[in-house]
Amino acid sequence: MAEIRVADEAGACYGVQRALDMVREAAAAAPGAVRTLGPLIHNPTVVSDLGAQGVEVVESPERAAGKTLVLRTHGVTPEVEDAARAACPQVIDATCPFVKRAHNAAEQLTREGYQVIVVGEAGHPEVEGTVGHALEAIVVGSAAELDDVQIARRVGVVVQTTMRKAILQEVVDALIGRAEEVRLIDTICKATSDRQRAAAALAGEADVMVVIGGRNSANTTRLAEICRAACPRTHHVEGADELDAVWFDGARLIGVTAGASTPQDQIAAVCARIKEQSKTDA
């Protein structure tokens, strides 16, 4: 009989839960009048549930004119925030406090005259927001991407909150020797690091791993990559309806983890379905 074990650190982080609480409170106070600027979090199931409660997603502040507008957890550039406050009578800033720290770090390094390098995924909304808080910034996703970059004498580094520390270290190591001064403000979120460590530990023991969260979620995708490196039978799902009983054939230990945008009720639903499909006594 197989055991189902959830990683010690898994699921919605403080910033996500804070944002959900803010939106739900606003929606209860003004039914039908709340919009989010882009998806609140990278979890399609949660975004769909909020939509059913009348919370619509808009892609520009102008599309929410006259409504209450919520700034997503990933944050926005100062220009977008200004546009939001000009268009909407009420703006709720649900930016994760740890993302705000990255924004502040980019501003600080710019003020102090550093060339700002953001270690993260180009095009990711959090990274775009951070870049918007620097005068000029270069985004790299790996040390190799520095090869074609003209490095200044003084370089300041900030990092996407969900990035792996190993990648950050590789970038910093590559900068040392090319710049006279390299200053790092490590803005990786502790919750992300904790989830990655716990997932890696569980994957090292498990026969099968199930990673729960949006496929558009950077931190969930990284969890899946980490788990797959230790446990080839790793499956990334957004919900319980994607599970396949065949995955669990012969498994003695089934590990479960979830990204920082995955509420506990989704984890519980997946575990319940695994129990049914694998006929476990967990």
Side-chain angles (χ1 to χ4, degrees):
M1 302 294 284
E3 174 190 357
I4 301 170
R5 188 187 305 170
V6 179
D8 291 339
E9 298 284 345
C13 63
Y14 164 76
V16 166
Q17 192 58 56
R18 169 180 174 270
L20 287 171
D21 291 344
M22 294 170 79
V23 170
R24 287 168 178 158
E25 181 179 348
V34 178
R35 306 289 182 265
T36 66
L37 186 56
L40 180 71
I41 60 175
H42 279 160
N43 185 312
T45 301
V46 171
V47 172
S48 178
D49 289 346
L50 289 174
Q53 298 170 39
V55 179
E56 297 179 16
V57 177
V58 297
E59 296 305 325
S60 69
E62 293 73 24
R63 297 296 298 271
K67 305 289 185 180
T68 294
L69 184 62
V70 181
L71 305 182
R72 63 193 296 176
T73 55
H74 299 100
V76 298
T77 65
E79 292 77 14
V80 170
E81 183 171 353
D82 289 345
R85 297 192 183 281
C88 304
Q90 182 179 15
V91 174
I92 298 173
D93 189 355
T95 304
C96 171
F98 297 102
V99 173
K100 283 282 193 185
R101 180 170 173 263
H103 291 177
N104 293 339
E107 290 180 355
Q108 177 185 341
L109 291 171
T110 297
R111 286 195 307 270
E112 295 176 0
Y114 290 91
Q115 176 189 36
V116 177
I117 292 180
V118 181
V119 182
E121 297 178 31
H124 189 283
E126 178 191 324
V127 172
E128 290 182 344
T130 301
V131 168
H133 283 77
L135 181 61
E136 292 183 4
I138 298 165
V139 178
V140 298
S142 67
E145 294 179 18
L146 289 169
D147 291 347
D148 298 323
V149 175
Q150 184 68 38
I151 302 299
R153 184 175 65 83
R154 302 172 70 232
V155 175
V157 180
V158 297
V159 57
Q160 185 176 346
T161 58
T162 56
M163 208 67 181
R164 294 179 63 180
K165 281 190 176 293
I167 294 176
L168 172 61
Q169 189 60 57
E170 289 171 1
V171 171
V172 172
D173 289 346
L175 287 169
I176 293 174
R178 293 186 62 185
E180 292 182 17
E181 179 185 355
V182 178
R183 181 176 179 190
L184 167 64
I185 301 181
D186 185 351
T187 49
I188 292 178
C189 174
K190 183 177 184 297
T192 297
S193 298
D194 288 346
R195 280 156 181 72
Q196 291 175 352
R197 282 194 295 269
L202 181 53
E205 299 180 42
D207 300 297
V208 180
M209 282 294 298
V210 176
V211 182
I212 313 163
R215 290 186 176 83
N216 58 343
S217 165
N219 75 85
T220 306
T221 299
R222 289 198 184 90
L223 282 181
E225 292 170 353
I226 291 167
C227 291
R228 196 167 285 114
C231 178
R233 294 172 66 183
T234 291
H235 304 277
H236 181 176
V237 303
E238 291 189 346
D241 58 340
E242 296 180 21
L243 296 169
D244 188 333
V246 174
W247 297 348
F248 311 116
D249 286 350
R252 291 176 297 176
L253 174 59
I254 300 167
V256 177
T257 189
S261 297
T262 306
Q264 292 299 319
D265 60 345
Q266 291 184 8
I267 298 174
V270 167
C271 288
R273 183 68 62 86
I274 294 174
K275 184 175 181 179
E276 293 173 4
Q277 292 183 334
S278 61
K279 298 181 174 60
T280 70
D281 60 355

